[in-house]
Amino acid sequence: MRYLGNKTKIMPQIEKLLDEKNILINGLEFCDAFSGTATVGDYFQNVFRIISNDSLCASYYISRGKLINIPTFETLGFDPFDYFNNVDTNSYVQGFCYNNFAPTVSERMYFSDENAKLIDFIRDTIDNWSNDGLINDDEKSYLIASLLESLSKVSNVAGVYSAFLRKWDPRAIKRMFFIPVERTNGESQYNNEFHLNDVNDFINNVHGDILYLDPPYTPTQYISQYHVLETIAKNDHPVTHGVGAHRDNGNQISRWCKKEYVGSEFEKLIANAQFRHIVFSYSDAGIMSKEFIEKVLKRYAVEGTYTFKQINFVKYKSTRAVNKEIADNTQKKTHYEWLFYIEKKQTPLYISPLNYIGGKFEVLPLLKDYMPHNIDVFYDLFGGGGTVSVNAEAQRVIYNDINPFVSSLLHKIATEDIGKTIKYIKRTIKKYSLSKANKEAYVALRTDYNSKEPSQRNPLDLYLLICFGFEHQIRFNSSHEFNNPCGNSGFNQEMCEKLIAFNMRAKQLGIEFNSQSYEGYENDITPRDFVYCDPPYLISCGAYNDGKRGFNGWNEEQEQQLLRFLERMNDRGIRFMLSNMVDRNGIENHPLNEWIERNHFRVIENANVTKRNRQNRKEIIIINY
């Protein structure tokens, strides 16, 4: 059967990749999460136990028909293939295909009248036999799969079913011969498993050894391209519309085919996959870029396991695609199929979508190693870019930062529909012609942002100012006007992935975003909670320390105020962790050292003395447990 994205031609390369990773092992569980016509599952069913899934009913039946043991039809008592190939259906005119997909009644030319009647009779008879208990579910699936395979050989289409041909293809006017569904490697020795579900719902309830992913990669919706097969598979006689008699797609519109959503669908799928090995197929003509795919996979990969292979590939082209290539003079362009592999790690790390000064991503493993378990509420009282909050493990996570602009921006990124966020970002970039070092465009956006009252500003405009600003700094003047100059950066695939990952993870955790003084939480915190503080460093030279940016600065008095707050937490049996710096180029934080010694708190040093702006910095964490 001709099918968009069919992997028949690259199966040897997929097999070679599995062999190279030492996972071509009999009996492993192999999940084909976008099964299509079961090309991959069929190829490997003599090696692996196959878990098959697709959101289309036609694909579900095809997969099940190919991956079960060939039925004997013992209860039926005769060979259904012989029966259907010899039956007279000339008078069978009540079926859906004859009345909607054939010329005499509907003037549509998907099938000849003769073949449409035969298809209707076979499909209706299968349901009747099933309802009467003459065939079981496996036998029903096998017959439906065989019907879909058989009718594809007499369909009057150019490969897909979005429209029919206006002239009869010679093969379409021949009588359909009902044949068993084709298999590559015979019967399976394993009890294979079949699902009909959206992949991101399905993935939460399945686990195994190898996850193979071959999603749609263009804006083309499979439900539209194969609506005829879907209607015949379901046999549900839907209301149709248009010249092609399309069914209402309803909620079967795939986000994998939408530019603004495909990235988040991919991120969620990889994040939630409960498989040790992941193999991902995609195309260089796909919506997602190689750079984006790589960023996602590396976030969840055991270090050093990410693998990429590029394969020359002659892809299926519709007439429209061929004409477009001719118009663009790209008809000789080489096309590639991409293969990716990772071994998935247990605990991925997430990072702020903002390039925030003092961000804690580099020391996250150290922080997480010393954080307690069984936390009711995690308080990130100096939340900054939100990296620590988004990696917290607690029943409830509260992010707080004194800067309301940063807090509201992270809240917007975390809670809004990510597709709308990405769409707004791309539309605004186009509106202002934002690009690297384009000072005029940058100043125009900054002026428009500052001209509005703070409560009326769109936080995503601030995000773009940060993206295109000098060193991604977040700077305001005393009037709360953003005043960072234009930089030599922009919005790229890495930043897009950070946005998507932050949005997904923050929603999973249900992070609450606030902007107030940290002391305002004192009466709310209980001994079952945990307090993390990452204040401005007293001996650093950060711009936010000087108190001239429209917000309170940070000096020794405020440092002492925080230390007294943490002492009160300690007196109440509340666990806390404080990040700070005790040495910068030989300058010591004496108040902090005296406080640690007086209270006998535990100090964990970061073994890596970091260099930043040519400065030696010795950072520590302090805990009271």
Side-chain angles (χ1 to χ4, degrees):
M1 178 185 294
R2 291 174 291 177
Y3 199 77
L4 287 174
N6 186 287
K7 291 297 176 286
T8 301
K9 293 180 180 179
I10 67 165
M11 287 312 305
Q13 288 91 337
I14 295 174
E15 183 177 26
K16 182 180 178 182
L17 176 61
L18 298 179
D19 192 32
E20 289 174 357
K21 301 302 177 182
N22 298 314
I23 52 176
L24 196 65
I25 300 171
N26 282 9
L28 293 185
E29 288 190 317
F30 181 99
C31 178
D32 187 3
F34 297 86
S35 61
T37 54
T39 296
V40 177
D42 183 28
Y43 189 91
F44 287 121
Q45 71 169 313
N46 61 347
V47 179
F48 303 127
R49 177 180 180 265
I50 307 297
I51 304 170
S52 174
N53 177 71
D54 204 281
S55 62
L56 294 186
C57 188
S59 292
Y60 167 82
Y61 280 125
I62 291 169
S63 294
R64 190 164 179 175
K66 286 185 176 182
L67 302 178
I68 58 172
N69 291 330
I70 297 174
T72 60
F73 299 101
E74 185 176 345
T75 303
L76 185 63
F78 56 86
D79 185 339
F81 294 93
D82 285 344
Y83 173 73
F84 288 131
N85 282 325
N86 290 285
V87 71
D88 181 0
T89 59
N90 285 327
S91 60
Y92 198 79
V93 294
Q94 68 264 38
F96 187 87
C97 286
Y98 176 71
N99 287 286
N100 291 272
F101 296 149
T104 295
V105 177
S106 68
E107 298 185 352
R108 299 185 182 104
M109 298 170 60
Y110 286 109
F111 306 105
S112 68
D113 286 343
E114 178 186 27
N115 285 331
K117 293 176 184 178
L118 179 56
I119 292 167
D120 284 331
F121 179 79
I122 293 173
R123 187 62 190 88
D124 291 344
T125 301
I126 291 171
D127 277 352
N128 291 335
W129 287 348
S130 176
N131 293 336
D132 292 341
L134 297 174
I135 56 174
N136 58 35
D137 288 343
D138 280 348
E139 291 168 334
K140 177 180 178 179
S141 297
Y142 187 78
L143 290 175
I144 294 174
S146 297
L147 175 60
L148 296 174
E149 186 87 57
S150 300
L151 67 85
S152 71
K153 301 182 185 306
V154 296
S155 301
N156 193 44
V157 297
V160 295
Y161 293 80
S162 56
F164 50 83
L165 299 175
R166 296 295 179 174
K167 294 183 179 180
W168 288 107
D169 187 307
R171 69 193 187 100
I173 56 178
K174 297 178 182 177
R175 176 182 165 88
M176 184 184 77
F177 190 67
F178 188 50
I179 57 174
V181 64
E182 297 176 358
R183 295 168 177 245
T184 302
N185 288 323
E187 293 188 330
S188 173
Q189 59 181 310
Y190 305 106
N191 182 25
N192 296 325
E193 188 177 321
F194 311 98
H195 298 268
L196 175 61
N197 215 330
D198 175 83
V199 70
N200 274 322
D201 294 330
F202 158 78
I203 205 67
N204 293 312
N205 301 307
V206 67
H207 59 84
D209 301 299
I210 305 167
L211 175 63
Y212 175 71
L213 303 172
D214 179 28
Y217 59 83
T218 72
T220 300
Q221 292 282 345
Y222 275 61
I223 184 62
S224 296
Q225 298 298 308
Y226 296 99
H227 71 97
V228 172
L229 300 185
E230 189 72 357
T231 293
I232 293 170
K234 289 185 172 182
N235 202 27
D236 57 353
H237 296 209
V239 174
T240 63
H241 59 87
V243 175
H246 285 248
R247 59 189 294 121
D248 182 7
N249 294 332
N251 60 5
Q252 283 192 279
I253 294 295
S254 174
R255 288 191 167 200
W256 290 87
C257 301
K258 290 181 169 288
K259 292 181 180 180
E260 62 268 34
Y261 288 108
V262 61
S264 61
E265 292 298 294
F266 182 51
E267 184 96 36
K268 283 189 295 184
L269 181 54
I270 301 299
N272 294 328
Q274 302 173 73
F275 290 80
R276 182 177 176 184
H277 307 278
I278 298 177
V279 178
F280 179 64
S281 288
Y282 211 62
S283 167
D284 69 334
I287 300 173
M288 291 190 291
S289 69
K290 176 182 176 293
E291 291 75 18
F292 180 83
I293 295 168
E294 180 177 335
K295 293 297 180 185
V296 173
L297 292 177
K298 284 187 173 179
R299 179 181 300 282
Y300 300 95
V302 172
E303 189 173 353
T305 63
Y306 169 84
T307 302
F308 169 72
K309 293 181 180 291
Q310 184 166 269
I311 304 163
N312 283 11
F313 187 72
V314 179
K315 66 175 185 175
Y316 164 80
K317 300 175 189 177
S318 65
T319 302
R320 180 186 298 178
V322 171
N323 291 337
K324 186 176 187 306
E325 286 189 355
I326 293 172
D328 297 340
N329 197 28
T330 58
Q331 61 266 40
K332 294 183 179 180
K333 179 184 175 182
T334 302
H335 295 282
Y336 296 99
E337 188 80 10
W338 293 335
L339 273 181
F340 301 86
Y341 164 85
I342 63 167
E343 180 181 343
K344 193 180 175 192
K345 63 184 174 185
Q346 294 296 314
T347 308
L349 297 178
Y350 297 90
I351 189 170
S352 170
L354 313 178
N355 187 18
Y356 202 84
I357 293 175
K360 288 293 174 285
F361 185 74
E362 292 179 359
V363 297
L364 263 178
L366 180 67
L367 299 183
K368 290 176 73 69
D369 281 348
Y370 285 93
M371 283 183 183
H373 302 290
N374 302 317
I375 299 170
D376 279 8
V377 185
F378 185 105
Y379 288 90
D380 188 3
L381 296 183
F382 297 79
T387 291
V388 175
S389 290
V390 84
N391 287 280
E393 296 178 13
Q395 294 182 31
R396 185 178 167 207
V397 179
I398 294 178
Y399 163 99
N400 179 72
D401 197 272
I402 196 66
N403 187 327
F405 298 104
V406 172
S407 178
S408 63
L409 171 55
L410 290 176
H411 177 264
K412 180 86 167 177
I413 293 170
T415 59
E416 185 163 282
D417 179 280
I418 192 62
K420 293 180 180 178
T421 297
I422 292 172
K423 192 172 183 178
Y424 180 87
I425 287 171
K426 291 183 176 179
R427 187 170 65 237
T428 305
I429 289 172
K430 183 176 181 180
K431 174 183 176 182
Y432 287 90
S433 300
L434 293 170
S435 59
K436 289 184 179 181
N438 186 342
K439 182 178 179 181
E440 184 178 347
Y442 181 84
V443 170
L445 174 61
R446 189 180 65 188
T447 300
D448 286 350
Y449 175 80
N450 288 332
S451 68
K452 299 180 177 71
E453 290 295 321
S455 63
Q456 301 302 312
R457 295 171 181 171
N458 189 325
L460 295 179
D461 291 338
L462 173 59
Y463 173 75
L464 284 170
L465 289 171
I466 296 169
C467 290
F468 288 88
F470 177 71
E471 293 187 349
H472 301 286
Q473 291 184 14
I474 304 173
R475 293 186 7 176
F476 289 85
N477 63 22
S478 58
S479 300
H480 289 166
E481 293 177 332
F482 189 80
N483 65 352
N484 195 37
C486 180
N488 192 32
S489 301
F491 181 73
N492 56 32
Q493 294 295 298
E494 180 178 4
M495 300 174 83
C496 184
E497 192 276 331
K498 287 180 182 178
L499 268 181
I500 289 170
F502 189 88
N503 171 271
M504 178 198 70
R505 178 65 176 166
K507 284 181 177 176
Q508 287 175 347
L509 294 173
I511 299 176
E512 302 167 38
F513 292 88
N514 298 316
S515 181
Q516 64 178 55
S517 168
Y518 65 89
E519 291 179 300
Y521 293 98
E522 184 164 355
N523 294 329
D524 298 329
I525 302 170
T526 76
R528 296 184 301 275
D529 304 331
F530 179 72
V531 174
Y532 175 70
C533 294
D534 180 30
Y537 293 168
L538 182 63
I539 59 173
S540 76
C541 53
Y544 43 63
N545 284 16
D546 60 15
K548 299 178 182 180
R549 310 291 164 178
F551 309 99
N552 291 335
W554 196 260
N555 54 33
E556 185 170 338
E557 180 182 348
Q558 290 180 312
E559 179 102 343
Q560 293 285 10
Q561 187 175 338
L562 172 62
L563 298 181
R564 289 192 294 271
F565 169 83
L566 292 175
E567 282 184 350
R568 295 194 296 273
M569 294 292 101
N570 184 63
D571 292 342
R572 291 171 53 199
I574 294 167
R575 300 163 294 179
F576 71 75
M577 175 183 286
L578 170 66
S579 288
N580 218 306
M581 188 191 329
V582 292
D583 183 272
R584 179 178 65 83
N585 279 355
I587 302 173
E588 292 187 19
N589 187 334
H590 293 292
L592 180 63
N593 285 330
E594 292 170 3
W595 177 77
I596 294 169
E597 185 175 352
R598 183 173 67 251
N599 288 282
H600 307 289
F601 292 137
R602 186 180 176 189
V603 175
I604 296 98
E605 294 187 10
N606 183 359
N608 299 318
V609 177
T610 60
K611 272 188 174 291
R612 188 179 300 163
N613 298 327
R614 297 185 296 277
Q615 297 177 356
N616 290 320
R617 301 158 57 91
K618 185 177 180 181
E619 299 187 25
I620 62 171
I621 54 176
I622 304 127
I623 58 177
N624 68 334
Y625 48 89

